[in-house]
Amino acid sequence: MSPRSVIPIDKNWRFRQADKEHSKFLPVAQFPTNVHLDLLHHGLIPDPFIGKNELDVQWVGEAQWTYKTTFKGASIPENGKAVLAFDGLDTFATVKLNGSTILEADNMFIPERVEVTSLLKEDDNELVIDFDSAYLRGWKLVEKYPDHKWGCWNGDNSRLAVRKAQYHWGWDWGPTLLTCGPWRPINLEIFESRLADLNIQSTVPEDLKSADIEVTAEVEGKADKVRFDISLDGTQVASETVQVSSGKATASFALENPSLWYPIRYGKQPLYQVKATLISGDSEEDEVEKRVGLRRAELIQRPLKGQPGKSFFFQVNDIPLYCGGSDWIPADNFIPRITKERYYDWIKLVADGNQFMIRVWGGGIYEEQAFYDACDELGILVWQDFMFGCGNYPAWPALLESIEREAYENVKLLRHHPSIVIWAGNNEDYQYQESVSLTYKYEDKNADNWLKTDFPARYIYEKILPNVCSELIPSTYYHPGSPWGDGVDTHDPTVGDIHQWNVWHGTQEKWQNFDKLGGRFVSEFGMQAFPNVKTIDAYLPLGKSDPDRYPQSSTVDFHNKADGHERRIALYLVENMRYGPDPLEQFVYATQLMQGECLASAYRLWKRQWKGPGREYCGGALVWQINDCWPVTSWSIADYYLRPKMAYFTVKREMAPVSIGITRTEHRHPKDRYTRVNVDVSTKVEVWASNLTLEDLEVDCLVKGWDVETGEQTFNEMVVERITLPENRSTEIDAREVPVIAGGGKDQEKRTVVAAYLFDRDGKQIARYVNWPEPLKYLHLQKPKELKVVLSEDGTAVEISAEVPIKGLVVETEDDLVVFEDNLVDIVPNEVVRIGVKGATKETKLEARYLGM
């Protein structure tokens, strides 16, 4: 027998517009590719990320396109096969080899394999792929099924009929750019036998002292043996050779004291290499290798003490986790140009930001292996949605069959990744069902009945997808949707997960009330902010000299796709701080301060509800969203170019191993029953600490206060000494009236800044938080006369100090190579705040911006 050979079909590709007469074939920009990248490469369309060029390229998504190449064939063994493997075709594709149609594809997410043994030539072969317009085909399908109750949020109804990345139709953070093309690799495989699949299932018992591994290889062809090798860091751990029976070979291994995979911060991320080698006689025909992590992962849903409903939190290797993290959208509208390195940079940014989990949102793609590899290596847990979002999806038989194949193929591709701890059926489709009153009777368990209702997609989420997961990944939790909880209203905070959009959307609550807006697990919430000024300059056609370089310009507005964004940004700004539209830099700063304060408030207040065993009232919070797919004003905390917004740093501080929080509450005590005049008013501060480490900590808590107008210190007291912070929970520390100076005048508490600090037994400060009277716009902030922002002697930190309290100081530099480890910090008198920095030198020009500047 001859070993399987894999020949990439990635050379000599050309493309043309198929529905345009006399259109010539041109070389592609890269491979894999899509039509927009190729048109950009030849200057045939303007960059849709610049200005309003998006509008000028809409014709691309309504045209038909042809890709073709020629490639040399290969000798096929007497009992061998030739197969063309298409890892991804976007989306409606007719494939011809040497003039014969070999494939009609209509699902972007399904890898296809076509045997071409009888068609392949040993010399030149011509491969042609015709791509139809997904947009127009979608509308034809909508017209074909008029009885379905079509409807969606974002994009238009045509997307619901097409199995393609839904964000390509445009979203409230992204442009409408309907791509097509061979978006993933194409290979020619020649073989007599091959390994069709390698499935590794592992079980770790509660005592964590062993691991059972079952490895199964699916075999195509006549090879009769498979050797399984397991190694760790280059050292072989186990090996076994087994016979193939009925196309499968299975081996079981029992490891004692295995090296377990842990989430970041809680342990290391060892990855075992599992290799299957297909053997026929004395020859090795094929091999497949995958990396796996051994861990015990659970979603804990159980009754709680003192509150209704039940918990919703993740536990890995018996460690309950407060999962602070982010939601993820595709990192580009043009997926083929996202490199492995860029994926790693994004996940590294998440890890460096003290985040534990990332949710792959259901309107994008089943991500590239490089994304999950990075999560495996860095210890980031993954919440994985299936690709359905914000609509009422149809369910005709051929579509259901395609969706089932899609689920099978993608779960099989991704199931070895230890980072993936949950699969969810969709994003907000149950919320859409509620919003338009589609039929959903949870107590009706007859799946055939669901297909007869005006919400037939329930059949997808509660039958097809759970059946696939039960078969392929029985130890990974399947959740019907996000948000969802036991079939009750998706806004119910006591069960399942919720998307909390009553800050920004909905009732537009104040972010200071996030403690009343929590849930057992908050898988979406957010606040918009403008991106870095450099990012805005990059999309303005004339850069810094562009006449539209101001916050309310039509071009800047065009780069915000959220309905009503002007009113919502203005509302939250005007409620909280003084701001002006000019210069642009100051407006950008104001929105980023707003976002930073908002998101930090949510993490701080919800993490306070992580109270320990039986009182896990909130098990995690995932901010919408970590990233962007183009240069835009959105809810992201880092923009398209991986430039962190200031909220990235406030979230990082709130998710530190140890943090401290303060909230202030006003208490009104009327002396008479109906009076509005004779009322005693007091304002109290409550102080608590969150210890997410796995050790009890003994700490001292210091509280200080200052008058924001004079800079005079009003309080300085160690309020608690040698208090124990139990492991992995939040603990209440102190409650008192806002500390003011006796005789300091009326409403002194409304101008008093309060700071709280934690010190360990060695006297080292391990947590700090500064609480300000709100809204900030009422404060008469003083401009510092002695502000110092200097690089430390060793060049590893920026040191900041001032003689008066300063809110939200940002350190800036024009040098993109300088990276700050923290930013948007609060300054109080007689303290030096140090911000870690990399890449700075004595020549680096540091500038500061702060509220009231």
Side-chain angles (χ1 to χ4, degrees), residues 35 55 228 535 575 580 591 601 716 802 809:
V35 66
L55 300 175
F228 296 108
T535 298
E575 275 189 347
T591 66
S601 176
N716 184 356
L809 185 141

Side-chain angles (χ1 to χ4, degrees), residues 529-570:
F530 273 53
N532 191 292
V533 171
K534 296 174 186 176
T535 298
I536 297 173
D537 289 340
Y539 72 65
L540 290 171
L542 299 179
K544 289 185 177 181
S545 60
D546 197 290
D548 263 11
R549 194 182 187 270
Y550 61 95
Q552 293 83 17
S553 74
S554 63
T555 304
V556 171
D557 266 357
F558 188 80
H559 282 252
N560 189 333
K561 298 299 186 179
D563 287 342
H565 63 85
E566 303 96 334
R567 295 190 299 276
R568 288 173 170 85
I569 289 176

Side-chain angles (χ1 to χ4, degrees), residues 747-761:
D747 294 336
Q748 190 182 353
E749 72 278 359
K750 294 182 179 179
R751 63 175 193 266
T752 298
V753 177
V754 180
Y757 310 78
L758 292 180
F759 297 90
D760 65 14
R761 297 308 329 126

Side-chain angles (χ1 to χ4, degrees), residues 56-84:
D56 297 328
V57 303
Q58 290 307 302
W59 65 272
V60 176
E62 297 184 23
Q64 297 172 326
W65 301 91
T66 296
Y67 281 77
K68 75 174 183 180
T69 188
T70 56
F71 63 94
K72 292 289 184 183
S75 176
I76 304 172
E78 183 177 349
N79 297 314
K81 288 183 180 180
V83 170
L84 278 172

Side-chain angles (χ1 to χ4, degrees), residues 325-365:
S326 297
D327 295 287
W328 168 270
I329 65 171
D332 203 310
N333 271 88
F334 305 139
I335 297 162
R337 71 178 175 190
I338 309 173
T339 64
K340 178 181 179 180
E341 291 74 23
R342 192 164 184 83
Y343 274 120
Y344 187 88
D345 289 345
W346 270 115
I347 303 305
K348 183 71 162 58
L349 191 71
V350 170
D352 289 345
N354 285 330
Q355 298 186 37
F356 292 93
M357 176 174 273
I358 195 163
R359 171 175 166 250
V360 179
W361 166 76
I365 64 171

